[in-house]
Amino acid sequence: MEARYEWEFSQNKNQQLANELQQQCQLSPLLTQLLIQRGIDSVEKAKQYLDPQLAELRDPFELHDMQKAVDRIQAAVANGEKIVIYGDYDADGITSTAVMYETLDEVGAQVEFFIPNRFTDGYGPNLDEYQRLIDGGAQLIITVDNGVSGAKEIEYANSRGVDVVITDHHELPEKLPEAAAIVHPKYPGSEYAGGDLSGVGVAFKTAWALTEEFPQEMLDLVAIGELADLVDVTGENRALITWGLKQLRQGMRPGLHQLVKLAKLNEDQLSDQDVGFGIAPRLNALGRIDDANEGVLLLTTMDDREGKEIAQEVENANQTRQQLVAKITDEALRQARASENTDRSTLLLLGHEWHQGVLGIVASRVVEETGKPTIVASVNDGDEIAKGSGRSHDGFDLFEALQKHRDLMTAFGGHAQACGMSFNIDQVDQLRAALEQEAKARGLAESGPIKLDLAASLSPDDVNENLYDQLQRLAPFGPGNPEPVFAIHADHINNVKTMGKQQEHLKFKLRGQKNSAAVVAFGKADLAPLLLAGVPVTIAATFGINEWHGKRTAQLMLKDIKTQGTAILDQRTRQLLPGMFNETGYYVAFDQTLRENIAGHAHGIVLDPQTALETDFKDQQVTIVDCPPDLAMLSALWQNGGQPAMIRLLLWEKHPVRFGLPNRQQFAMLYRFLRQYPEIANYRQQQPAMARSLLMPVEQLNWMITVFYEAKFVTINDGVLKLADHPDHVDLEQTKCYQQHAAHLKSAQVLLYSDTHTLRKRVAAWLMANE
């Protein structure tokens, strides 16, 4: 296996700084190295990084239009105007809505919130909903985590005499809305120095400015929204998330407390990874499957019973989401691997009746599997408009690429690595062509594999809970502060097994000199046969923790893997089936009749042993179909020295060996029997009776008589077996029949009856001997 990424080790040449940090901050050499890799160049910065404080947060009024926003909201509260918070259906939007709703409710505002429906309202502002809200009495609309793309909606609100205050963080369009205020960290000409806030970060700053008190009790919501939206986790975001996780561990919100329990997370030690992979996907599931308004209620309720009920609804939605993702990902990957997509640098996959709420997740899975920026879209039967979600990687700005082609879409918005859109299905080919055109213009095809930065090399013996706890001092992880990835090599793997409801995940152990390190690979069950092949591996992995019945064990989370040498797969079988010949490559069959039978089934080239001896198998897949009558025939196949990429051992046996090598006493017993009965008519019919008398299987008796016949101890004419009168002295072990059976026995013993480890070891030895 080749690595999917291009591995690149980080360099650390400032040994003087490393020594200084080690001594003054009481850090291990590895942790010091990781800090320097993150741009820490002084003791002061290291201390600030390792212990971020809320005092570092910037004044919320530094954000563009914050004073305008506060003035307009305070006026609405004072005048008893009806305020509607217009949110979004993802985790960042739900937490943003909860922060703004709680704040306005506490200051006595007449406030309601509205979360659009992904399926009926679409992405971003919706004119019909603006009209409905205004018809319902809304006098001020506050957008959270959306709004900057709503020029026409806000123009309509203005025409009805309703102000709109925008709080958002998404990419700004060329034409900005004529809103009462636009609170945005990237507003042109007044970019916020505090960093890359998410929607909930902007809402939190607005709440802080509005109340003029720091709302520490809302930091838990900030941590969830920011981690879910993958904002840069440096600067003040690092402090917001760090202290938000501390708040989250207190379990003060009944709904969140119950959700954490259902997710089987340890509330006392919740990490950024728990939020990113446990809590955020569950909140997102509401908007993907049904109605995200329940998410706001989950976060804001103070009623234990209500919190428990809503948490269960969220968990049910998440389970439905998981099932849909598994099914649609399988279908999307089949499209991605189709011949028409092989040479494409980007992918636009269109399905019918795919659940539109999970398209973004599926797109992420396809990007992870193929390395290609991907749009996954779906159109319902009878509709002409397809809805899609795009995902990309660091090497390709998907938003910028598609921005130029807005005319091909009916709706569009998002970020560099994630976007949403709608388009007429008649435009799908043009959109595919436009995406490829942009990829070509940016040299995506020539850019090679995506780079994977590796922090250091470790051995399986280094993996333990102490090192995991040290690494957590660098958390929270995310953009700007990536989780460290390590290279770990092992010559031996054991305990390879699949897991999960669909057995879609993989777990195995890397054996070190003293200890073994467990490795978890989500969605990588297809690697199991290759790992069972016993080849040395080097993996790229991050650290994780497994908690079971109160016991914490460090484990590795697989990012990438590469193997060395030939993969030897033990697939021994007693029955050959057509599906065993679907792989491309070479098939070696020792039996001629068998070669003729499989010729019409094998997708590769079927070879006889002599042709196989003349074939260079370097980097090829070779399947040994049947068991050779002699081990030498198999070991000789690799005499050209070219190491195959993979050897599949089916080793089907046409004529199984049913008896061992008779000893001298058994041969002598048969000879005495024949001296007693020197002439036996109808010999074939008499064989069963003879075998019973001699206490041996019929097959063994028949073989021994064949040995005697070759040694000229007996003659067989017209069905009459007759003992020779004066046979010559012959060493029976030197007869061709005896030696063939001895070789067959040894072949069966090694190839059919040995355990997998012994079998691989023997085949690997033949390969090495012929290098």
Side-chain angles (χ1 to χ4, degrees):
M1 269 187 297
E2 296 292 333
R4 178 175 299 165
Y5 299 94
E6 181 182 339
W7 296 12
E8 194 171 88
F9 281 90
S10 299
Q11 301 297 318
N12 175 19
K13 298 180 180 178
N14 194 337
Q15 191 57 50
Q16 180 179 348
L17 175 61
N19 294 337
E20 190 177 351
L21 292 178
Q22 232 175 294
Q23 294 170 3
Q24 296 197 35
C25 299
Q26 300 297 302
L27 302 174
S28 68
L30 177 59
L31 213 58
T32 302
Q33 177 182 334
L34 295 176
L35 282 174
I36 295 174
Q37 288 172 5
R38 281 158 169 70
I40 302 299
D41 56 9
S42 69
V43 172
E44 182 183 355
K45 286 183 180 179
K47 290 179 177 179
Q48 185 178 3
Y49 177 93
L50 294 169
D51 189 21
Q53 297 297 316
L54 293 175
E56 301 165 15
L57 300 184
R58 303 185 73 90
D59 188 330
F61 285 96
E62 292 181 18
L63 280 160
H64 179 267
D65 272 359
M66 182 62 82
Q67 188 64 60
K68 285 184 181 180
V70 169
D71 290 345
R72 180 62 188 90
I73 296 170
Q74 286 179 339
V77 174
N79 296 329
E81 296 178 34
K82 181 178 179 180
I83 303 173
V84 176
I85 302 164
Y86 194 117
D88 194 20
Y89 44 66
D90 65 3
D92 190 26
I94 293 170
T95 51
S96 301
T97 306
V99 165
M100 192 62 72
Y101 177 74
E102 278 191 355
T103 302
L104 292 174
D105 186 57
E106 286 175 7
V107 298
Q110 183 187 346
V111 61
E112 296 177 359
F113 64 83
F114 167 73
I115 302 290
N117 185 288
R118 179 190 293 264
F119 311 105
T120 58
D121 300 323
Y123 178 80
N126 180 282
L127 186 57
D128 290 340
E129 291 297 349
Y130 266 64
Q131 181 176 346
R132 184 186 63 80
L133 293 173
I134 294 171
D135 289 345
Q139 295 166 283
L140 173 65
I141 296 175
I142 303 174
T143 73
V144 290
D145 195 34
N146 80 96
V148 292
S149 62
K152 66 178 180 180
E153 289 81 8
I154 292 171
E155 183 180 356
Y156 170 79
N158 291 339
S159 72
R160 296 282 303 271
V162 174
D163 286 335
V164 178
V165 170
I166 295 173
T167 71
D168 199 358
H169 73 118
H170 289 92
E171 296 290 339
L172 292 160
E174 291 182 11
K175 181 184 178 183
L176 293 173
E178 296 291 335
I182 301 178
V183 182
H184 195 292
K186 296 180 182 176
Y187 194 90
S190 59
E191 287 82 0
Y192 178 61
D196 178 29
L197 294 172
S198 74
V200 73
V202 179
F204 177 82
K205 288 281 185 163
T206 306
W208 181 5
L210 188 63
T211 60
E212 298 182 351
E213 292 182 3
F214 185 74
Q216 184 158 344
E217 70 281 0
M218 295 182 185
L219 284 172
D220 50 359
L221 302 180
V222 177
I224 294 172
E226 295 226 308
L227 288 169
D229 224 51
L230 299 176
V231 294
D232 192 288
V233 294
T234 58
E236 69 175 2
N237 279 344
R238 182 169 175 81
L240 286 170
I241 295 171
T242 299
W243 285 84
L245 288 171
K246 292 179 181 180
Q247 186 77 18
L248 197 55
R249 293 173 193 135
Q250 303 302 312
M252 299 302 291
R253 297 179 183 270
L256 269 179
H257 174 71
Q258 291 297 329
L259 191 63
V260 167
K261 286 177 65 176
L262 290 171
K264 297 181 173 59
L265 301 173
N266 185 340
E267 192 168 51
D268 293 337
Q269 297 185 6
L270 281 174
S271 68
D272 56 332
Q273 301 299 298
D274 292 329
V275 172
F277 296 103
I279 296 175
R282 284 169 166 79
L283 290 177
N284 280 328
L286 280 171
R288 295 184 187 282
I289 303 303
D290 192 11
D291 183 3
N293 283 279
E294 289 292 295
V296 181
L297 295 177
L298 175 88
L299 300 178
T300 57
T301 183
M302 287 295 117
D303 184 274
D304 289 339
R305 183 175 177 179
E306 184 181 31
K308 188 173 184 179
E309 290 174 355
I310 301 176
Q312 188 60 59
E313 290 178 27
V314 174
E315 183 64 21
N316 294 342
N318 187 57
Q319 291 176 6
T320 302
R321 187 267 306 174
Q322 290 173 329
Q323 294 165 4
L324 288 168
V325 167
K327 177 178 180 294
I328 298 172
T329 298
D330 186 56
E331 295 175 15
L333 283 173
R334 277 202 293 271
Q335 277 193 36
R337 291 164 179 155
S339 57
E340 63 267 23
N341 287 320
T342 303
D343 296 327
R344 290 182 178 273
S345 300
T346 61
L347 296 170
L348 195 168
L349 311 175
L350 180 62
H352 291 270
E353 299 292 340
W354 286 351
H355 195 289
Q356 294 173 354
V358 299
L359 299 181
I361 303 176
V362 174
S364 294
R365 300 280 173 88
V366 175
V367 173
E368 184 180 342
E369 194 67 27
T370 65
K372 299 178 180 182
T374 300
I375 296 171
V376 176
S378 176
V379 61
N380 295 331
D381 291 338
D383 290 348
E384 295 183 354
I385 300 295
K387 294 183 179 179
S389 285
R391 295 294 183 269
S392 187
H393 49 66
D394 289 339
F396 189 73
D397 188 325
L398 190 58
F399 181 87
E400 183 183 323
L402 290 172
Q403 173 86 322
K404 298 179 182 179
H405 306 279
R406 279 180 174 266
D407 58 310
L408 297 176
M409 298 171 281
T410 57
F412 174 69
H415 309 284
Q417 295 183 29
C419 61
M421 77 284 294
S422 299
F423 58 88
N424 193 297
I425 54 174
D426 292 342
Q427 300 287 342
V428 66
D429 290 335
Q430 291 94 318
L431 200 52
R432 280 196 181 107
L435 202 55
E436 278 296 288
Q437 174 189 329
E438 294 297 331
K440 185 176 181 180
R442 289 164 169 74
L444 184 61
E446 294 77 31
S447 62
I450 303 168
K451 285 185 171 55
L452 179 65
D453 290 324
L454 299 179
S457 291
L458 301 176
S459 78
D461 294 317
D462 296 322
V463 181
N464 54 50
E465 300 85 82
N466 179 50
L467 182 52
Y468 169 81
D469 290 336
Q470 284 189 54
L471 295 175
Q472 286 306 297
R473 295 189 65 187
L474 305 178
F477 299 117
N481 185 45
E483 189 172 7
V485 182
F486 299 98
I488 302 103
H489 177 80
D491 289 326
H492 302 288
I493 297 174
N494 55 17
N495 287 32
V496 178
K497 56 187 177 183
T498 57
M499 59 183 186
K501 290 182 179 179
Q502 307 296 326
Q503 296 299 298
E504 69 273 34
H505 308 308
L506 180 67
K507 192 169 187 177
F508 58 94
K509 286 190 175 181
L510 303 178
R511 285 171 52 192
Q513 296 295 321
K514 299 178 181 178
N515 302 306
S516 292
V519 183
V520 175
F522 290 112
K524 299 295 182 185
D526 58 318
L527 295 180
L530 293 172
L531 297 179
L532 286 167
V535 292
V537 303
T538 305
I539 70 168
T542 58
F543 268 65
I545 199 78
N546 180 36
E547 297 195 29
W548 182 252
H549 293 306
K551 183 180 179 182
R552 298 172 81 240
T553 308
Q555 61 185 12
L556 297 168
M557 316 305 291
L558 188 73
K559 290 278 292 182
D560 201 4
I561 184 170
K562 55 186 178 182
T563 59
Q564 299 168 322
T566 302
I568 303 170
L569 273 61
D570 180 1
Q571 296 181 347
R572 288 177 285 189
T573 182
R574 294 183 178 180
Q575 182 181 10
L576 293 176
L577 301 171
M580 297 175 179
F581 303 95
N582 290 338
E583 302 285 342
T584 56
Y586 291 100
Y587 291 84
V588 179
F590 298 94
D591 182 81
Q592 181 179 346
T593 304
L594 177 60
R595 285 196 299 276
E596 294 170 356
N597 289 340
I598 68 174
H601 297 286
H603 286 196
I605 302 170
V606 180
L607 302 176
D608 61 75
Q610 185 57 44
T611 307
L613 288 173
E614 301 163 0
T615 303
D616 183 0
F617 292 130
K618 180 176 174 58
D619 297 331
Q620 301 297 316
Q621 178 170 302
V622 183
T623 300
I624 307 301
V625 181
D626 55 342
C627 188
D630 190 331
L631 282 178
M633 296 179 70
L634 184 55
S635 65
L637 292 182
W638 325 114
Q639 64 184 9
N640 285 328
Q643 286 225 350
M646 180 186 296
I647 298 174
R648 296 170 65 225
L649 299 170
L650 303 183
L651 298 176
W652 176 74
E653 178 71 305
K654 182 178 181 180
H655 300 295
V657 178
R658 301 184 185 280
F659 58 92
L661 282 173
N663 55 35
R664 291 177 178 273
Q665 289 76 12
Q666 288 173 307
F667 276 116
M669 184 170 61
L670 174 60
Y671 190 78
R672 287 194 296 271
F673 181 91
L674 293 176
R675 289 189 65 179
Q676 186 177 356
Y677 304 99
E679 188 172 312
I680 303 174
N682 298 319
Y683 153 65
R684 294 293 179 187
Q685 285 76 18
Q686 298 297 326
Q687 274 188 334
M690 292 172 62
R692 284 194 297 272
S693 177
L694 292 165
L695 302 176
M696 64 177 63
V698 173
E699 294 91 347
Q700 180 178 331
L701 171 63
N702 187 45
W703 177 81
M704 291 173 69
I705 289 174
T706 304
V707 174
F708 276 9
Y709 179 80
E710 185 184 338
K712 298 183 179 179
F713 286 10
V714 299
T715 60
I716 303 174
N717 293 306
D718 298 326
V720 177
L721 176 68
K722 186 176 180 181
L723 185 67
D725 292 334
H726 300 290
D728 294 334
H729 176 75
V730 175
D731 184 353
L732 298 181
E733 294 183 4
Q734 297 304 312
T735 62
K736 183 179 179 181
C737 185
Y738 186 97
Q739 292 192 350
Q740 284 180 339
H741 185 64
H744 194 184
L745 266 176
K746 187 174 182 181
S747 177
Q749 182 182 5
V750 172
L751 301 178
L752 300 182
Y753 306 124
S754 63
D755 59 51
T756 297
H757 177 73
T758 303
L759 176 65
R760 288 193 195 121
K761 190 174 180 180
R762 178 61 70 94
V763 176
W766 290 331
L767 291 170
M768 292 178 64
N770 290 311
E771 280 187 340

